[in-house]
Amino acid sequence: MPSTPAPSGRRERNKQQKLDRITAAARELFAEYSVEDVTTQQIAQKADIGTGTLFLYVKSKGELLLLLQNSLYAEALARGRAAAEAADGPVEAVLALLRPVVECNRVHTGNGRTYLREMAFGDPEEPRHHEALTIVGQTEQAVAELLQRDGKRGSADSATLARVISAVMFLAMAASLNADHDAEQVLADIRTQLTVILPH
């Protein structure tokens, strides 16, 4: 008698449980080591799956890092939006928005910089890269909204300034020159540039 195929609901739950184990294993390893120092075999072993199974879920360690970091960056952006509501003036409001994002990037500086590289140079059609770029777009939109609060700028100018500010933040976090800088030092660098970019 032929076996009955597992209901699709059970199959989906099993897939989600494996993905959750992979994510938890990678989160634990990446919290302690840089992405370059962790092997896919170590991730698979910690997740209690075969290495081949791992590649059914993610194509590379870079993609796995994006999977992990995207959710953390989205949460950081939400915290930044809330903090910016209470800030006075464009510089302080933008810094309040960006602070949690920079702090998220600096939890493990090497992995934070690798995330930025993967995000910037990966395939934008790949779902994890696309999700990361969407978060960048949301960050720029949030900055643009803050810049329009005082009614001194139109939407087009605010959007352009937001892209410049996004580039400032990206370079401040990704630059080799700042590789040993903590979140406060990176934020101080961003503040210096914002005071030139944004009128007082």
Side-chain angles (χ1 to χ4, degrees), residues 48-100:
D48 195 27
I49 58 169
T51 306
T53 302
L54 175 67
F55 288 117
L56 294 175
Y57 290 84
V58 290
K59 294 175 186 156
S60 66
K61 289 187 293 181
E63 186 181 327
L64 187 51
L65 181 65
L66 286 166
L67 170 67
L68 289 173
Q69 293 292 88
N70 284 345
S71 62
L72 296 175
Y73 273 62
E75 290 166 10
L77 178 57
R79 291 196 305 275
R81 280 181 185 270
E85 288 300 314
D88 290 328
V91 172
E92 295 307 320
V94 171
L95 281 169
L97 174 74
L98 300 184
R99 173 175 285 279

Side-chain angles (χ1 to χ4, degrees), residues 157-188:
D157 285 349
S158 295
T160 300
L161 267 174
R163 293 196 72 191
V164 172
I165 291 167
S166 179
V168 165
M169 180 178 67
F170 181 91
L171 287 174
M173 294 190 298
S176 297
L177 188 66
N178 294 347
D180 62 346
H181 288 188
D182 63 16
E184 290 304 322
Q185 290 170 304
V186 172
L187 285 161

